């Protein structure tokens, strides 16, 4: 079992920045691929970024160049730095852990609670 607890999120103006953090506990953090997904009202949950066990990193095209995923093995955390935010980035953001990755939500077994990110225009 893995427990994921997220922090960060909130309200920011367009062009601003936010940082999300996800703390993992339970089984060995290094055993899992870690990712961030997001879900806007009325839309399906979509892939944002992944940091695989191998060190491979992948981003959705919509966030490439603006978002940065990082992973701290010593602290068992995965972070998402979000810069140049746009109103279309508004969503609930979920941290996920799994072993089948990297971009399908069905490859992830454990999920955080999902902090809200709201970007005003």
């Amino acid at each position: 079992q893995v427990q994921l607890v997220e922090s960060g999120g909130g309200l920011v103006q367009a062009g601003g920045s936010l940082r999300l953090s996800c703390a993992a506990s339970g089984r060995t953090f290094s055993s899992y691929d870690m990712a961030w997904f997001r879900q806007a009202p009325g839309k399906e949950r979509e892939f944002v970024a992944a940091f695989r066990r191998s060190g491979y990193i992948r981003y959705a095209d919509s966030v490439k160049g603006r978002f940065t995923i990082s992973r701290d093995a010593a602290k068992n955390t995965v972070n998402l730095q979000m810069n140049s935010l746009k109103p279309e980035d508004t969503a609930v953001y979920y941290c996920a852990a799994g072993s089948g990755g990297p971009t399908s939500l069905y490859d992830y077994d454990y999920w955080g609670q999902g902090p809200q990110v709201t970007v005003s225009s």
Side-chain angles (χ1 to χ4, degrees):
Q1 285 285 345
V2 175
Q3 292 79 43
L4 302 174
V5 178
E6 297 138 333
S7 59
L11 174 65
V12 66
Q13 288 189 332
S17 298
L18 283 174
R19 182 178 176 88
L20 302 179
S21 292
C22 175
S25 61
R27 289 191 61 184
T28 306
F29 179 67
S30 61
S31 299
Y32 293 94
D33 297 335
M34 301 298 297
W36 289 92
F37 287 75
R38 67 186 181 186
Q39 189 166 16
K43 295 188 176 181
E44 295 184 350
R45 193 169 298 189
E46 65 175 7
F47 170 76
V48 175
F51 199 133
R52 304 199 72 181
R53 292 163 289 174
S54 63
Y56 174 76
I57 294 174
R58 184 166 176 175
Y59 296 97
D61 288 343
S62 59
V63 307
K64 203 172 294 183
R66 300 188 298 121
F67 289 12
T68 302
I69 189 171
S70 61
R71 186 166 176 159
D72 188 333
K75 296 181 179 180
N76 282 4
T77 58
V78 61
N79 305 302
L80 187 68
Q81 178 66 42
M82 304 183 292
N83 298 329
S84 302
L85 283 161
K86 305 174 181 180
E88 51 264 42
D89 294 318
T90 295
V92 176
Y93 281 71
Y94 296 92
C95 175
S99 55
T103 63
S104 170
L105 61 90
Y106 300 106
D107 290 327
Y108 293 88
D109 303 308
Y110 304 101
W111 294 85
Q113 78 279 10
Q116 175 71 45
V117 170
T118 302
V119 184
S120 63
S121 57

